[in-house]
Amino acid sequence: MLNKYARAFFTRVLTPFAAFLLRRGVSPDTVTLIGTAGVVAGALVFFPRGEFFWGTIVITLFVFSDLVDGNMARQAGTSSPWGAFLDSTLDRVADGAIFGGFALWYAGKGDDNVLCAVAIFCLASGQVVSYTKARGESIGLPVAVNGLVERAERLVISLVAAGLAGLHAFGVPGVQVLLPIALWIVAAGSAVTLGQRVVTVRRESAEAQAKAAASGGSGTAT
């Protein structure tokens, strides 16, 4: 959902910066690696200590690398299966670090086992949602569905809520409840999205089998 509109907008905004990096001899893969390292560091250094505001700021600065590296590859004409594989793989690492950071907070000083479990579910379900699409496409299916809560939605909902919740440290009252609410929303939305993708793959698989059977039958008719 957000992917469709936000990615196009930020791609246009970040195109000059991508061109600047290319002129300086920076490769898209380098941007991918640095961006992921920054996200992981921001999530696992700040979030387990409850420093959600600064953690979100650091993560946000690096998360745009996901748009910059692809933009650079297209401008340079170096888009490749390897680049797409690296980008997708490191996206999963970054997502795991973010929700892992939340889980560590609630398992520690946050002292809430239920929310720790919800954060772990967000981590796991996000990985499985991505896997279902990749696995479906690997067996030749289009997996043509826009899920309710995909990666962009998971990141925006959780990071905006975390950043606002972090304002509690600056004396803003009541905002700390935003992160638990966001985690429940992401968990429920991810479960729905997983269901959407599973149903879509089942339908597309049945249609492909029916088409193959019909094609085989017509080939043997006299």
Side-chain angles (χ1 to χ4, degrees):
M1 294 168 67
L2 281 176
N3 243 5
K4 181 178 179 181
Y5 303 105
R7 182 174 288 270
F9 170 75
F10 284 110
T11 296
R12 289 195 298 272
V13 171
L14 294 171
T15 292
F17 180 61
F20 170 80
L21 292 177
L22 286 172
R23 290 196 297 271
R24 295 297 181 273
V26 180
S27 72
D29 287 354
T30 299
V31 172
T32 302
L33 291 167
I34 292 175
T36 302
V39 171
V40 170
L44 297 183
V45 170
F46 292 96
F47 286 174
R49 298 189 296 182
E51 297 179 5
F52 296 118
F53 178 79
W54 293 115
T56 300
I57 293 298
V58 171
I59 290 169
T60 301
L61 290 175
F62 285 99
V63 81
F64 284 105
S65 66
D66 188 45
L67 299 176
V68 174
D69 56 5
N71 194 314
M72 292 172 66
R74 286 189 294 275
Q75 289 192 50
T78 57
S79 297
S80 67
W82 160 250
F85 169 81
L86 180 66
D87 187 56
S88 180
T89 300
L90 294 184
D91 281 350
R92 308 288 82 77
V93 173
D95 293 358
I98 291 170
F99 289 103
F102 294 144
L104 287 172
W105 162 250
Y106 287 116
K109 292 184 179 179
D111 193 24
D112 193 319
N113 288 336
V114 172
L115 287 174
C116 176
V118 173
I120 292 173
F121 179 82
C122 290
L123 190 164
S125 60
Q127 306 291 338
V128 177
V129 163
S130 298
Y131 173 79
T132 53
K133 185 173 180 66
R135 184 68 178 115
E137 290 175 341
S138 74
I139 58 176
L141 301 175
V143 196
V145 59
N146 290 320
L148 179 64
V149 175
E150 297 184 338
R151 184 172 189 256
E153 287 83 4
R154 291 196 300 271
L155 290 181
V156 169
I157 293 170
S158 58
L159 291 178
V160 168
L164 292 174
L167 294 176
H168 178 70
F170 299 94
V172 180
V175 290
Q176 64 269 32
V177 303
L178 294 176
L179 181 55
I181 292 172
L183 289 176
W184 280 107
I185 291 172
V186 170
S190 295
V192 171
T193 303
L194 177 59
Q196 289 176 305
R197 289 196 172 175
V198 169
V199 169
T200 298
V201 169
R202 180 176 175 81
R203 173 178 53 78
E204 291 177 348
S205 177
E207 290 173 350
Q209 286 182 309
K211 184 176 180 181
S215 177
S218 63
T220 59
T222 59

